[in-house]
Amino acid sequence: MKAVFLLLSGLIFCHFKSAGQAVELCQGAYFTEQQGKEFLEKHKVTSKVAWETRSAQIRKQIREGMDLQTLPPKPASKPMVHSRKEMDGYSIESVAFESLPGIYVTGNLYKPLKKQRSYAAILSPHGHGENPHGRFREQTQKRCATLARMGAIVFVWDMVGQGDAKQCEHKMPKALKLQTINSIRSLDYILSIPGVDPERVAVTGESGGGTQTFLLAALDDRVKVSVPVVMVSSYFFGGCVCESGMPIHKKGDYQTNNVEIAALAAPRPMIMISDGGDWTKNTPEVEYPFVKSIYSLYGKTDRLEAVHLPDEKHDFGPSKRNAMYAFMAKHLKLDLKEVSDASGKINEEPAKVLTQKELEVFNEAHPRPDNAVMGDAAVMGLL
Ligand SMILES: [Zn+2]
């Protein structure tokens, strides 16, 4: 029965691709800026009931579009955790665990050295980037280490096909589905760590990691705080197959965009961080007012913030990180003083940038397990 269903869903997907890919897939700047603005004006709702009807429809199409109506069973294998390094105020470990039988999520776990009764947990998906890949970039290492110094347990994991997750190419047809499964399993993993407080769980990432951030917050209410960075746009739908390569935004007459998807975080605390150098440049006038109108339906506009940096570009640079740290401190009860100097300025210096070799998960001493499925065709077969 299962095989028949998989075959059928495969055929439906192929049908989309051959008959109507351009219509069903909304990729890159699928809207013009004007169309994005008009779409949000047209979809403003004035009651909580109307929004909850709309939000159920949006969630349904995300799940159907990425062929994830039901989550595959969770593998029973134990996570591999090794190569603990003690740093200045935090530790780093290398981690791998199965998200599907034979598929390994690979990343680094950052923990505060200071013992606490309970810990906030922060998932930290990264954006696209080459040389080095996202997990190893300075902006990623700095934010994970600094959040750990503030008292949180932080997990950053490789995008599909990057870093130690080289079981398939990044740009394979169901990368969006696999990355979403990996996000949900990363949430399972961090919640399984002893001492983690399930009421203090956040996710933050930039660009493609911003897409992973708002999709996870939309689909999983175990996420209590979200910080999507430089990605929530009324007209840009994500440029990579891992963001918009499956029809989550459109089906026939139905259409959504990433602003409505990000608004599914309401009424949980969220800060939208944007800049003047990319598709988030209109945030103060377009995206933020729409999302605020949704939070106002719950009487919770105090839980929504926005920081716009008009002179900055598409990254998770220091000023964007500072805005995120302050928001996390406020909503996760973390200690900003632990990372601030006498004048109150955040000091990221103790967060040391390590090499890819120092952060690796699989090597001679810790080989990729024998059951790992290798190659696009084999991985697609599991999806
Ligand atoms: Zn991608």
Side-chain angles (χ1 to χ4, degrees):
M1 190 62 195
K2 197 178 173 197
V4 173
F5 173 74
L6 286 175
L7 182 65
L8 191 65
S9 63
L11 288 173
I12 292 167
F13 186 68
C14 293
H15 173 75
F16 275 154
K17 283 182 78 173
S18 57
Q21 186 174 36
V23 179
E24 301 292 342
L25 293 181
C26 307
Q27 297 179 305
Y30 178 77
F31 284 163
T32 63
E33 288 180 43
Q34 188 58 27
Q35 284 173 326
K37 191 167 174 259
E38 285 169 8
F39 176 86
L40 292 180
E41 280 162 7
K42 200 175 135 202
H43 287 83
K44 228 168 216 173
V45 293
T46 51
S47 77
K48 205 166 102 175
V49 172
W51 171 246
E52 284 176 356
T53 305
R54 176 73 180 162
S55 58
Q57 195 182 17
I58 298 166
R59 283 195 177 95
K60 182 169 177 276
Q61 186 55 33
I62 294 172
R63 291 200 173 97
E64 283 183 16
M66 65 168 73
D67 188 21
L68 195 59
Q69 289 95 330
T70 53
L71 195 61
K74 190 171 149 182
S77 59
K78 293 250 181 309
M80 294 169 60
V81 183
H82 64 82
S83 305
R84 183 175 184 276
K85 293 167 189 61
E86 207 155 289
M87 312 296 289
D88 186 355
Y90 63 101
S91 64
I92 309 181
E93 288 158 292
S94 295
V95 174
F97 56 83
E98 276 182 298
S99 59
L100 292 168
I103 301 280
Y104 286 85
V105 173
T106 49
N108 295 108
L109 188 69
Y110 293 70
K111 284 179 171 171
L113 288 185
K114 207 157 120 183
K115 292 273 173 277
Q116 300 162 49
R117 263 187 315 200
S118 72
Y119 297 86
I122 300 175
L123 294 176
S124 188
H126 64 76
H128 296 89
E130 301 287 332
N131 301 320
H133 280 316
R135 174 160 68 94
F136 311 113
R137 293 177 78 184
E138 178 183 346
Q139 63 176 13
T140 311
Q141 293 194 46
K142 287 274 183 191
R143 80 171 193 259
C144 294
T146 304
L147 287 166
R149 290 172 55 228
M150 286 165 62
I153 293 179
V154 183
F155 183 60
V156 56
W157 66 101
D158 292 314
M159 275 188 165
V160 167
Q162 298 194 346
D164 288 275
K166 292 207 163 85
Q167 294 182 239
C168 59
E169 292 297 320
H170 179 65
K171 288 185 184 291
M172 61 100 168
K174 291 197 175 183
L176 174 55
K177 176 177 182 175
L178 182 53
Q179 285 198 170
T180 304
I181 294 171
N182 288 351
S183 295
I184 295 168
R185 293 291 172 232
S186 294
L187 185 50
D188 291 343
Y189 168 65
I190 208 164
L191 282 166
S192 77
I193 296 170
V196 163
D197 177 358
E199 295 307 313
R200 292 189 293 149
V201 176
V203 54
T204 183
E206 84 290 3
S207 192
T211 301
Q212 294 181 68
T213 296
F214 57 65
L215 284 175
L216 183 62
L219 295 178
D220 201 318
D221 59 12
R222 293 176 298 171
V223 171
K224 306 300 181 198
V225 175
S226 62
V227 185
V229 177
V230 299
M231 199 60 219
V232 180
S233 171
S234 66
Y235 66 94
F236 190 81
F237 288 70
C240 183
V241 71
C242 77
E243 301 174 274
S244 52
M246 296 178 83
I248 61 171
H249 299 102
K250 183 169 174 62
K251 186 181 183 182
D253 293 339
Y254 166 81
Q255 173 83 59
T256 189
N257 67 3
N258 285 341
V259 186
E260 279 196 309
I261 293 176
L264 296 175
R268 295 166 284 169
M270 175 164 74
I271 181 168
M272 302 164 68
I273 299 177
S274 56
D275 65 272
D278 62 23
W279 44 79
T280 62
K281 63 187 176 184
N282 303 324
T283 300
E285 297 80 38
V286 179
E287 287 83 359
Y288 172 65
F290 178 87
V291 180
K292 194 177 171 192
S293 75
I294 303 300
Y295 275 72
S296 73
L297 301 175
Y298 294 87
K300 299 288 184 193
T301 50
D302 56 323
R303 292 187 183 174
L304 179 72
E305 293 181 30
V307 165
H308 186 66
L309 300 150
D311 301 325
E312 293 203 8
K313 292 196 161 50
H314 189 65
D315 62 15
F316 206 157
S319 45
K320 299 185 184 90
R321 297 200 292 275
N322 286 349
M324 178 271 288
Y325 296 144
F327 193 78
M328 292 292 194
K330 182 168 150 186
H331 291 283
L332 298 177
K333 302 190 188 80
L334 297 172
D335 194 354
L336 214 47
K337 286 204 285 296
E338 285 288 333
V339 296
S340 305
D341 62 21
S343 67
K345 198 168 160 282
I346 291 170
N347 175 21
E348 291 185 310
E349 276 307 306
K352 195 176 164 225
V353 177
L354 301 183
T355 63
Q356 180 161 344
K357 185 90 195 133
E358 288 171 300
L359 294 170
E360 73 185 358
V361 178
F362 295 136
N363 51 33
E364 223 171 310
H366 305 279
R368 182 181 281 124
D370 289 340
N371 75 332
V373 168
M374 301 303 291
D376 286 15
V379 172
M380 279 294 285
L382 285 174
L383 294 167

